[in-house]
């Protein structure tokens, strides 16, 4: 079986996404790239019930290579991110707080310096119908400048990483940051960190890991 380890890893991260509430039902998806091949979660299937053989393998142009199930409808977004970044994994969620922020804001205000671990202030990609080239392009643009995560207007969130574990942790951090902001708004007006304060935190080492010379700039 092609990309057997990668497809097994997709099943593992699918269970973690469901267990942590970052996805519900058959919503959300994930993928992992190995060279010119991409293994992706199948469309219309609950992520915590997948088996490795359920995850189709495509080439980087989206052409099917192996697997009997159709790939996730959001595959164009995954492929766009692989084409624009040095990421090896993508995780797309429909998490509660992320979707709340994505429905009400144009960016996630930097209320905590750990925003820097996602490459800077998290942008909200303009709304487009799910699974379309337009949405893929909007998300690609929102991730420019070395971002590791973005929100999708009225939809959810997406995170990338050097592997599935890192992409999952970035998705979980995105949801935590959104949760902090939403809860802070329940008490009062959150204090937002200034560009200078973020720069000072960056100087002290709060920054995402390097992808390497060919990766996106920080």
């Amino acid at each position: 079986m092609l990309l057997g380890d990668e497809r097994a890893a997709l099943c593992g991260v699918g269970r973690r996404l469901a267990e942590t509430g970052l996805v519900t039902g058959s919503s959300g998806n994930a993928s992992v790239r190995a060279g010119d091949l991409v293994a992706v979660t199948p469309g219309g299937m609950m992520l915590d019930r997948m088996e490795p053989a359920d995850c189709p393998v495509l080439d980087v142009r989206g052409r099917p290579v192996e697997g009997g199930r159709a790939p996730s409808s959001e595959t164009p977004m995954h492929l766009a991110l692989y084409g624009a970044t040095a990421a090896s994994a993508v995780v797309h969620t429909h998490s509660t707080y992320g979707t709340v922020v994505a429905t009400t804001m144009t960016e996630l205000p930097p209320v905590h310096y750990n925003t820097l671990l996602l490459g800077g202030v998290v942008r909200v990609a303009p709304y487009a119908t799910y699974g379309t080239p337009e949405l893929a392009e909007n998300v690609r643009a929102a991730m420019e400048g070395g971002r590791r995560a973005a929100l999708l207007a009225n939809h959810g969130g997406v995170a990338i990483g050097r592997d599935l574990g890192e992409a999952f942790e970035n998705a979980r951090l995105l949801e935590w940051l959104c949760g902090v902001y939403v809860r802070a708004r329940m008490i009062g007006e959150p204090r937002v960190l200034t560009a200078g304060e973020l720069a000072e935190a960056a100087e002290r080492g709060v920054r995402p890991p390097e992808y390497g010379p060919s990766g996106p700039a920080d």
Side-chain angles (χ1 to χ4, degrees), residues 29-217:
N29 36 78
S31 68
V32 58
R33 178 177 182 174
D36 291 332
L37 297 178
V38 176
V40 63
T41 53
M45 188 172 188
M46 293 187 178
L47 299 190
D48 57 349
R49 300 182 185 179
M50 298 183 302
E51 297 293 336
D54 293 319
C55 301
V57 175
L58 317 171
D59 66 18
V60 291
R61 295 184 180 181
R63 295 176 298 197
V65 175
E66 186 174 284
R69 290 184 176 272
S72 166
S73 61
E74 294 294 8
T75 298
M77 176 177 68
H78 291 245
L79 297 180
L81 291 174
Y82 289 131
T85 74
S88 293
V90 177
V91 169
H92 168 47
T93 68
H94 287 189
S95 58
T96 300
Y97 289 114
T99 304
V100 168
V101 174
T103 303
T104 56
M105 310 291 291
T106 58
E107 66 179 29
L108 172 62
V111 292
H112 195 282
Y113 56 78
N114 275 348
T115 296
L116 295 170
L117 296 176
L118 298 179
V121 175
V122 177
R123 304 174 181 126
V124 177
Y127 180 80
T129 304
Y130 76 91
T132 60
E134 181 183 3
L135 178 61
E137 173 57 24
N138 290 350
V139 173
R140 184 206 61 75
M143 298 280 271
E144 286 180 345
R147 298 303 196 274
R148 268 54 168 184
L151 293 165
L152 290 61
N154 302 86
H155 188 154
V158 65
I160 61 174
R162 295 171 296 179
D163 53 37
L164 273 172
E166 185 173 273
F168 170 80
E169 291 301 334
N170 285 342
R172 192 161 67 157
L173 175 57
L174 175 61
E175 176 67 356
W176 181 81
L177 290 168
C178 289
V180 168
Y181 177 73
V182 171
R183 290 183 175 104
R185 285 294 301 266
M186 294 177 182
I187 298 174
E189 187 62 31
R191 180 182 179 279
V192 177
L193 296 177
T194 66
E197 289 168 334
L198 289 173
E200 289 177 5
E203 289 176 1
R204 294 184 65 85
V206 184
R207 59 175 66 92
E210 297 286 346
Y211 277 93
S214 62

